Amino acid sequence: MAGDLVEQPSPVKPSTLAENVVKRRRKGKRESGAPGMLMYQTGGQSEIDFTLAGLEMLARVFDPPMSPRSPAREQSLLTSDPDLELLLNKISTVNHLLSSLEKKVLKSLKERASRHNLALPSLVAAPRRAAKPLAVQSFEVKVGKSQRAVLTVDVELGTVTITKKGSTSPEETIPQDRILQLIKYLSVQSKVRLVYDRELQKSLSRDFVFPSARKREAFCQLLQLMKIQHSNLDEPDLISVYVGTWNMGSTPPPRSLASWLTSRGLGHTQDETTACIPHDIYVVGTQENSLGDREWVEFLRTSLKTLMGIDYRVVALQCLWSIKMVVLVKPEHERRISHVHSSSVKTGIANTLGNKGAVGVSFLFNGTSFGFVNCHLASGSEKTQRRNQSYSDILRSLALGDKRLSAFDLTLRFTHLFWFGDLNYRLDMDVQDVLAHITKREFGTLLAVDQLNLEREKNKVFLRFSEGDISFPPTYRYERGSRDSYMWQKFKPTGVRINVPSWCDRILWKSHPETHVVCKSYGCTDDIVTSDHSPVFATFEVGVTSQFVPKKAPGSVPEALACIEWESIEVIIKPSSRSKCYIEFHSYCLEEAQWSGENTSQSCDSPGFLKLGWAAKNLPVLSPILPDLEYLGDQHLLLSVKGVESCESYGECCIAMRPMISSTAQQFETFLFHRGEETGSMRGWMKIQVPKGRRSTRERLYEWISFEEEDAEPVADTPVCPKPPPQCLRSRPHSLPEPAASYTNPAYFIFEGVPNTWVPAPSAGEAHEKQAESPEQGQQHWSPLRTRVPSPSEEEQWGGRSHCMPRGPSPGHPLSPPSLGQQKRPKSAVLARDTAGLGDCSLTALHMATCLSQLDQLSPEGRGDSQRTLLHQTHSTVELPPRPCRELPRPTQDAHQRGHPGEWSCDRGEQSRGVSKCLGHLGLQQEAKGLQERGWDHL
């Protein structure tokens, strides 16, 4: 039998047979019918019969005689071509026999091996493929004034080796568990201080200067990854998130997506030494994706497995026609993901077509909530308002997150919300000018006329969202197959349509206050050319909280619980009625929602706006589930102001509990949002008391890296571990001034700074002069609380971190903000844009009216003092109002001389000029004298 089998010719592959049959059939159709049929019978069937006979003979070796006919062969011939049907059935039988023989041969070999105690290495299941080990990375650095050294980072081994340049033996090897702190210098963009333990000396610090800030950032990232891999903590407190968006242009993707998935290309990209570090979460959003859902998911998983050596798990796939979003996580994080929700919204024609719209996915990663929205908005330079409306519709209709928070604005339901996609906002500039600026890489000029930036300045879309610095060229509309030129002309039956090159593809995010999120890269690819859009990527370093487990079992030891107490709350809103209101409190640290009583005070100082107040007796004392400081420091409170009669929400806000933990009341101040719009403001006093036995905390990994000025004192025996300064959200981008008629509804822009005073915007000439005075500083960005934020150039130098930059280590709690009383409230972008043109100044009037309405509150001793104080406030910084039941101290002469903030001194002429200027913007110059003599009642 064995000899007979050996003499049999090698079988022909079934796929090859099928291809031959199809070719012969096509050839037979081109010729006359009879010769073609004869070819089937003499060619195809003879090869099949020969192969089939050999397979049936081999099958008898492992099984008793069996009928060679499969169910397919036993079926009746229903077609008009019986010979072709018989041939196809024979091919099906060959496939059936091959698959069954494979199983029988494997089973027989296993039985023989077990009978003779043989080992079959080839049959043992292959171990699960682990992540690709990271190669050892070396960095050439300068130590001291002239000495050179090489820092070698071995992530797998967990060591950092210092070797003098030219030496063959290492000077020192530092294990990861002895590294206490990494301190980045603010004044030297490439300098870092390494603080570590020694056996003989308690601690030691050494400064290293890298060739560039990019190399320093790569070194810090490798050390963070080393800490994570060798950490003894059960749950991570720092993860990396990748977000990608790409309009695929209804064409299949290229064979490789390596540059997109590893954040390589143009813009702010990572150093090559860290580009292949796998991220914990991959979120990939596409538009105009013609691939099937499963096909696209498997393509992404295969691509990541090839690049990273990790078999990523699918958390969610949400699709709306050709709009798709895939969320993938590392296998070890699969058990940490819970409460997965997905939703979609159509915004096409009449909101019924899914060619435009959004898909969303939300989930919890341990104790941190994430939301992701991928959208495709209306195209065309003239459809800005349509895109704004679609954004609002998506906000209102996406059903994501905790159902108990469905009444809250979508942007407040998650710790971190990422919004990306083909937003389709264009550049308001002539196409030839745009091309000229792109050639010169003058992106700042183009960003000033970017429709998305302009609409954000008007507070119409993406309120309080952040975006990384754009340092890459517009991603649309390229010529397919190349990235050398833009195809800005589109020929249609109705004529030629101009598509100005624009940043249509964007990635933005919004996070709760006092949370850690840093954009590490933001750019686009330059080698994926199948679509007229370039893929865009962004990566983030995100702090997460664990499912907290108290060290003491609840109820094991009787002790005092933590409590949240309110002294007072003041709200300014624009309600639809004059009914009483109450406040609703939500938080994950509460067993259930809580409610306040009705407001105890109500006034209408400005037409259409209500000022509401709650005293302590009408505010609930909240009791968190757990009293531990480490747990409460990561929690947030969501507040909603609702009408008593209608239960309609007039605005919602989020308050971080971390800076409120104190034995004395702390002041908070925030904005109110509802359905994507800013609807008011809230401020007040509160305190969170924690029992003494529950005040222990641990240092987070993202607190392990801090910032310090160059002139700071070197670390002594015991290292001082400065905490990172508070994170500042990037301000809305500055744009060119527009005519006053460009903004429509003043209600869109109310309360950005109320009850702060109006501050006149500098003219374009003044702004240019200020810029010229300090060219080395560049453009300064300011956070919502007017804290300085690094300019785009600075963020690039410092590795893209969006931290503030104080003079030295931030004292106090690691993420607590500086005193609110020393910060300026935000000035509406609309003020800066519209007062220059002296157009509609409704918002200016609102600010002025609100300030002047507080005359009696700020200075009850005399009207004259009140007028002098507030009139000077109209062009100076204003302090937050005093705590309730406290008198405002009268400014002393010494205080005037010292010029302390919040204490005012001005002469009569300065008052007159300030009043005249304010009234001039309102068209009430003739009332200036009456206002000074008789006060606000005169107007």
Side-chain angles (χ1 to χ4, degrees):
M1 177 68 69
D4 295 338
L5 290 176
V6 171
E7 292 174 4
Q8 295 288 343
S10 59
V12 184
K13 292 184 180 180
S15 59
T16 307
L17 282 174
E19 292 173 0
N20 292 337
V21 170
V22 173
K23 291 178 181 178
R24 289 168 183 168
R25 183 177 181 185
R26 290 174 179 170
K27 187 176 180 182
K29 284 187 176 181
R30 289 194 297 268
E31 301 173 0
S32 60
M37 271 303 175
L38 183 61
M39 187 177 300
Y40 298 152
Q41 296 170 354
T42 59
Q45 294 203 26
S46 60
E47 293 179 10
I48 287 289
D49 290 339
F50 192 74
T51 304
L52 193 59
L55 291 175
E56 288 175 348
M57 188 179 297
L58 183 61
R60 296 192 189 100
V61 176
F62 300 98
D63 265 352
M66 56 173 287
S67 172
R69 292 184 177 271
S70 68
R73 294 183 61 183
E74 295 172 358
Q75 294 176 355
S76 60
L77 303 178
L78 302 177
T79 64
S80 59
D81 193 346
D83 293 325
L84 179 60
E85 186 70 23
L86 179 62
L87 182 61
L88 294 176
N89 283 337
K90 288 181 179 179
I91 294 175
S92 176
T93 304
V94 169
N95 283 329
H96 175 74
L97 282 173
L98 284 174
S99 60
S100 62
L101 278 172
E102 182 182 1
K103 297 176 183 178
K104 292 170 185 176
V105 171
L106 184 59
K107 181 180 178 182
S108 177
L109 288 175
K110 285 182 177 179
E111 290 177 354
R112 298 267 181 174
S114 60
R115 190 177 303 166
H116 297 282
N117 296 323
L118 297 177
L120 296 176
S122 59
L123 299 178
V124 177
R128 196 169 88 180
R129 189 179 180 186
K132 292 181 179 179
L134 288 172
V136 177
Q137 303 291 344
S138 298
F139 301 86
E140 185 174 338
V141 296
K142 186 170 73 172
V143 184
K145 293 184 178 180
S146 58
Q147 187 178 357
R148 300 281 177 174
V150 176
L151 292 179
T152 305
V153 181
D154 191 333
V155 174
E156 306 298 328
L157 193 60
T159 58
V160 176
T161 304
I162 306 173
T163 307
K164 290 184 179 180
K165 191 65 183 280
S167 175
T168 56
S169 59
E171 176 188 352
E172 190 170 9
T173 300
I174 309 170
Q176 61 84 23
D177 57 348
R178 293 186 179 274
I179 301 176
L180 304 176
Q181 190 82 21
L182 274 177
I183 305 174
K184 294 182 180 180
Y185 280 87
L186 298 178
S187 53
V188 182
Q189 60 181 1
S190 57
K191 191 173 182 180
V192 70
R193 171 176 292 174
L194 185 65
V195 184
Y196 58 96
D197 257 342
R198 269 189 170 182
E199 293 182 1
L200 300 178
Q201 303 176 7
K202 291 185 178 179
S203 66
L204 184 68
S205 67
R206 300 187 66 173
D207 292 344
F208 303 100
V209 179
F210 288 79
S212 64
R214 192 186 184 96
K215 290 295 182 183
R216 183 187 76 169
E217 188 63 27
F219 174 76
C220 294
Q221 287 187 42
L222 288 172
L223 261 62
Q224 279 183 313
L225 181 65
M226 185 169 66
K227 279 283 188 181
I228 291 174
Q229 289 194 5
H230 297 273
S231 173
N232 295 324
L233 297 176
D234 294 332
E235 298 294 340
D237 55 25
L238 185 69
I239 63 172
S240 59
V241 178
Y242 171 94
V243 178
T245 177
W246 182 28
N247 186 321
M248 299 175 64
S250 301
T251 57
R255 302 181 69 178
S256 174
L257 298 177
S259 60
W260 188 30
L261 297 176
T262 56
S263 306
R264 294 201 304 266
L266 305 174
H268 180 198
T269 60
Q270 298 191 65
D271 189 77
E272 61 274 6
T273 58
T274 58
C276 289
I277 296 178
H279 299 284
D280 297 286
I281 300 176
Y282 283 85
V283 183
V284 180
T286 54
Q287 310 84 38
E288 297 185 19
N289 187 340
S290 59
L291 288 161
D293 298 349
R294 292 186 178 181
E295 183 183 5
W296 175 240
V297 170
E298 289 306 315
F299 183 73
L300 288 176
R301 292 186 67 195
T302 303
S303 300
L304 286 174
K305 191 169 185 178
T306 302
L307 292 169
M308 309 297 177
I310 299 176
D311 189 11
Y312 278 82
R313 302 290 191 261
V314 180
V315 172
L317 165 66
Q318 182 65 16
C319 304
L320 175 67
W321 291 23
S322 61
I323 306 172
K324 306 180 192 295
M325 178 162 54
V326 183
V327 180
L328 304 165
V329 298
K330 282 183 177 179
E332 60 264 30
H333 296 323
E334 193 174 15
R335 63 178 180 82
R336 299 184 174 104
I337 303 293
S338 63
H339 300 80
V340 180
H341 296 93
S342 59
S343 178
S344 62
V345 176
K346 299 175 182 177
T347 62
I349 298 176
N351 286 348
T352 58
L353 295 183
N355 62 320
K356 295 293 188 291
V359 295
V361 171
S362 64
F363 56 84
L364 281 177
F365 186 101
N366 283 346
T368 302
S369 57
F370 284 88
F372 299 92
V373 179
N374 170 33
C375 69
H376 191 186
L377 304 183
S379 61
S381 297
E382 72 284 356
K383 294 182 181 177
T384 303
Q385 297 304 320
R386 175 74 178 277
R387 288 187 280 271
N388 293 351
Q389 184 60 48
S390 296
Y391 166 80
S392 179
D393 293 340
I394 294 168
L395 267 182
R396 300 182 186 192
S397 304
L398 268 183
L400 296 175
D402 193 338
K403 292 182 178 179
R404 295 175 297 177
L405 304 179
S406 58
F408 282 82
D409 191 282
L410 180 69
T411 64
L412 294 176
R413 298 179 203 169
F414 309 103
T415 313
H416 305 286
L417 174 63
F418 297 88
W419 195 304
F420 50 95
D422 184 0
L423 307 185
N424 254 323
Y425 288 93
R426 307 302 174 90
L427 296 179
D428 285 336
M429 185 181 285
D430 181 76
V431 64
Q432 295 300 332
D433 294 337
V434 170
L435 294 173
H437 287 302
I438 293 175
T439 303
K440 299 176 183 177
R441 296 189 62 83
E442 296 173 344
F443 299 146
T445 304
L446 297 179
L447 289 170
V449 295
D450 176 72
Q451 290 178 350
L452 178 58
N453 289 346
L454 297 177
E455 297 305 300
R456 290 176 64 197
E457 285 187 356
K458 298 175 186 177
N459 284 359
K460 290 190 175 182
V461 292
F462 294 102
L463 269 70
R464 308 298 171 207
F465 273 78
S466 300
E467 184 180 18
D469 293 316
I470 295 180
S471 56
F472 50 93
T475 57
Y476 174 82
R477 180 179 186 251
Y478 280 107
E479 181 181 3
R480 294 176 188 257
S482 171
R483 285 299 176 265
D484 296 331
S485 60
Y486 290 91
M487 289 293 293
W488 50 271
Q489 289 180 314
K490 188 173 184 179
F491 297 94
K492 305 184 72 175
T494 56
V496 179
R497 180 176 179 178
I498 304 300
N499 286 300
V500 178
S502 303
W503 286 283
C504 294
D505 312 281
R506 310 287 276 269
I507 300 173
L508 303 97
W509 76 94
K510 183 178 180 180
S511 299
H512 281 346
E514 297 293 325
T515 55
H516 180 84
V517 55
V518 179
C519 183
K520 308 296 289 186
S521 66
Y522 189 31
C524 68
T525 64
D526 57 357
D527 61 348
I528 297 179
V529 296
T530 55
S531 170
D532 51 4
H533 291 253
S534 283
V536 174
F537 54 80
T539 57
F540 301 89
E541 177 183 282
V542 183
V544 294
T545 60
S546 61
Q547 297 286 7
F548 185 79
V549 178
K551 299 176 178 63
K552 299 179 181 179
S556 58
V557 179
E559 60 177 343
L561 299 177
C563 65
I564 304 171
E565 299 179 357
W566 309 83
E567 283 196 4
S568 66
I569 292 180
E570 182 185 276
V571 171
I572 300 179
I573 56 173
K574 185 178 181 180
S576 57
S577 66
R578 293 293 186 267
S579 66
K580 292 278 190 175
C581 293
Y582 67 94
I583 302 176
E584 191 171 301
F585 301 86
H586 287 264
S587 177
Y588 285 112
C589 70
L590 303 177
E591 290 185 5
E592 57 184 3
Q594 300 289 327
W595 297 268
S596 73
E598 296 180 359
N599 53 289
T600 53
S601 65
Q602 181 171 318
S603 60
C604 183
D605 299 324
S606 302
F609 300 96
L610 278 181
K611 181 189 293 183
L612 309 175
W614 281 263
K617 62 180 181 181
N618 279 35
L619 294 170
V621 176
L622 307 178
S623 299
I625 299 173
L626 297 173
D628 296 79
L629 175 61
E630 184 177 331
Y631 169 76
L632 294 176
D634 293 325
Q635 302 304 310
H636 293 80
L637 289 169
L638 294 180
L639 280 65
S640 176
V641 181
K642 294 186 174 182
V644 172
E645 297 178 357
S646 63
C647 293
E648 174 189 359
S649 177
Y650 297 134
E652 305 97 44
C653 67
C654 177
I655 301 174
M657 294 176 59
R658 185 188 299 268
M660 301 292 111
I661 299 176
S662 174
S663 58
T664 58
Q666 303 295 311
Q667 192 167 33
F668 67 90
E669 183 179 30
T670 184
F671 297 100
L672 295 175
F673 301 91
H674 185 59
R675 294 182 176 178
E677 296 182 6
E678 200 171 284
T679 59
S681 63
M682 175 185 289
R683 58 182 178 177
W685 294 84
M686 64 177 293
K687 62 181 177 182
I688 303 174
Q689 293 184 325
V690 179
K692 290 184 179 179
R694 297 297 185 100
R695 296 178 183 175
S696 61
T697 59
R698 61 181 176 86
E699 188 179 39
R700 308 299 174 89
L701 186 57
Y702 50 83
E703 298 168 355
W704 183 60
I705 295 181
S706 61
F707 297 84
E708 186 172 318
E709 284 292 350
E710 184 181 15
D711 55 0
E713 292 296 328
V715 178
D717 291 341
T718 303
V720 178
C721 298
K723 306 299 182 182
Q727 175 199 350
C728 298
L729 293 178
R730 188 168 174 262
S731 66
R732 289 188 297 277
H734 299 280
S735 65
L736 298 178
E738 281 187 353
S742 62
Y743 95 85
T744 53
N745 184 3
Y748 263 18
F749 323 116
I750 62 172
F751 290 116
E752 187 173 1
V754 172
N756 188 16
T757 54
W758 167 75
V759 182
S763 63
E766 292 173 349
H768 180 73
E769 291 173 2
K770 290 181 180 179
Q771 182 75 11
E773 289 173 2
S774 56
E776 71 281 355
Q777 294 181 0
Q779 186 180 19
Q780 295 185 355
H781 295 264
W782 298 89
S783 74
L785 288 177
R786 303 296 294 167
T787 308
R788 186 180 179 278
V789 179
S791 66
S793 59
E794 289 173 333
E795 287 194 17
E796 184 176 357
Q797 292 172 353
W798 302 116
R801 289 185 171 271
S802 55
H803 290 302
C804 303
M805 297 184 175
R807 275 288 177 189
S810 174
H813 207 279
L815 291 179
S816 60
S819 173
L820 288 175
Q822 299 175 2
Q823 296 175 334
K824 298 180 181 179
R825 295 292 305 273
K827 175 182 62 180
S828 175
V830 180
L831 284 177
R833 297 162 59 79
D834 292 311
T835 52
L838 293 181
D840 186 349
C841 295
S842 303
L843 182 58
T844 305
L846 171 63
H847 276 266
M848 184 174 178
T850 308
C851 298
L852 294 177
S853 67
Q854 298 178 358
L855 290 174
D856 295 333
Q857 292 184 9
L858 288 179
S859 184
E861 292 84 354
R863 179 176 293 271
D865 294 338
S866 304
Q867 292 176 6
R868 180 166 60 253
T869 296
L870 279 166
L871 291 177
H872 187 71
Q873 280 188 11
T874 56
H875 47 275
S876 65
T877 305
V878 64
E879 289 289 336
L880 291 173
R883 291 177 57 179
C885 302
R886 292 188 180 181
E887 294 183 358
L888 183 69
R890 293 178 59 85
T892 62
Q893 182 64 28
D894 293 339
H896 293 327
Q897 293 174 357
R898 288 192 299 266
H900 286 182
E903 299 171 348
W904 311 278
S905 61
C906 59
D907 58 20
R908 199 71 176 174
E910 187 179 356
Q911 298 171 21
S912 302
R913 289 191 298 272
V915 174
S916 300
K917 189 173 182 180
C918 294
L919 292 177
H921 287 295
L922 299 174
L924 300 174
Q925 298 92 332
Q926 69 277 8
E927 306 293 342
K929 185 176 180 181
L931 177 63
Q932 293 182 37
E933 293 177 354
R934 293 183 292 278
W936 176 245
D937 293 336
H938 168 76
L939 294 181

